[in-house]
Amino acid sequence: QGDTSAQVYADTARVGLTRFPLHILAGSKWPLIALLTSEKLRKVRPQGRNIADDPRLNCADIEEPALNWRGFQGVFEEGKGKDWYDKTIRYVFSWQLAQLPEVLAEECPLGVLTATIIKGFTCATSESTCYADQAQSIERWLREAPDAFELLAHSRWPLAIVLNHLARGTRHRFFLDFSEAEMAGGPSQDCTRWD
């Protein structure tokens, strides 16, 4: 019963996360992303699946990685994550990500996604002209990855944590009051356009 209700919740949450553009999710006063940042979620095994410690998802089983994924992910280890931004720049804006994006995306998809979210955070808090490209990549992943919600909640990659920083750090706030029905089913009848 617990796994079934958890799966229903995850499916509903995933649909909700894909209904609105990232700037709406990030700008909402509802703690939509903050709820997924608890370190306790890394210990939960949805449907018996060990997402947090999966060596493939953590890019720990690559003999000769094109980027130091362990070093990048290590910036966010418990207790070290307070000053993550400055420490991630060397990975996020590395020559490898600039020159080998397809190789790295194949090698470590969640590492590349983490870098994309950090770039989105950088754009949202400094140079907003680059935000749309990063946001589109993140939104596409949320829509297309069948286990996006589970990965946000349970992965050791700090996807939800960085998205939450993006939400807290954006310069443009969208204080929208969604009703419970709108959160579950989409926009209200009066809302004809979201963007």
Side-chain angles (χ1 to χ4, degrees), residues 96-123:
Q96 293 97 326
L97 272 170
Q99 295 177 17
L100 307 169
E102 295 85 15
V103 170
L104 295 179
E106 180 71 29
E107 183 176 273
C108 187
L110 294 182
V112 171
L113 179 62
T114 301
T116 301
I117 297 170
I118 293 170
K119 285 180 184 178
F121 171 78
T122 302
C123 295

Side-chain angles (χ1 to χ4, degrees), residues 39-51:
E39 186 60 34
K40 292 178 184 178
L41 286 172
R42 306 312 157 253
K43 296 176 176 101
V44 174
R45 306 292 180 250
Q47 299 176 349
R49 187 172 171 213
N50 188 359
I51 292 172

Side-chain angles (χ1 to χ4, degrees), residues 2-193:
D3 278 348
T4 303
S5 57
Q7 187 59 47
V8 169
Y9 175 76
D11 292 344
T12 303
R14 182 175 180 274
V15 168
L17 286 173
T18 60
R19 276 191 192 266
F20 301 102
L22 186 59
H23 69 276
I24 298 294
L25 293 173
S28 171
K29 66 181 179 181
W30 288 89
L32 303 172
I33 298 167
L35 293 172
L36 303 174
T37 62
S38 171
E39 186 60 34
K40 292 178 184 178
L41 286 172
R42 306 312 157 253
K43 296 176 176 101
V44 174
R45 306 292 180 250
Q47 299 176 349
R49 187 172 171 213
N50 188 359
I51 292 172
D53 298 318
D54 183 323
R56 185 182 54 77
L57 291 175
N58 288 313
C59 312
D61 59 354
I62 304 167
E63 280 191 39
E64 294 183 37
L67 187 78
N68 180 358
W69 299 114
R70 287 184 185 184
F72 183 26
Q73 191 179 49
V75 169
F76 296 93
E77 286 177 5
E78 200 169 334
K80 292 184 185 178
K82 300 280 186 226
D83 302 318
W84 61 267
Y85 185 77
D86 290 339
K87 295 174 185 172
T88 61
I89 295 303
R90 64 184 272 202
Y91 301 103
V92 173
F93 294 102
S94 68
W95 69 266
Q96 293 97 326
L97 272 170
Q99 295 177 17
L100 307 169
E102 295 85 15
V103 170
L104 295 179
E106 180 71 29
E107 183 176 273
C108 187
L110 294 182
V112 171
L113 179 62
T114 301
T116 301
I117 297 170
I118 293 170
K119 285 180 184 178
F121 171 78
T122 302
C123 295
T125 57
S126 61
E127 179 50 54
S128 61
T129 59
C130 62
Y131 176 77
D133 290 338
Q134 309 309 319
Q136 287 173 358
S137 294
I138 298 163
E139 290 165 359
R140 184 173 38 258
W141 179 79
L142 286 169
R143 273 191 319 273
E144 294 175 2
D147 54 354
F149 183 75
E150 288 85 359
L151 292 171
L152 278 173
H154 304 290
S155 173
R156 291 231 182 267
W157 286 102
L159 306 169
I161 292 167
V162 180
L163 280 172
N164 189 49
H165 278 281
L166 183 139
R168 292 187 348 218
T170 55
R171 295 180 296 157
H172 309 291
R173 300 314 252 161
F174 297 92
F175 291 106
L176 302 177
D177 249 340
F178 293 113
S179 69
E180 188 175 328
E182 288 172 316
M183 291 298 290
S188 69
Q189 299 295 0
D190 345 330
C191 181
T192 57
R193 191 180 157 130

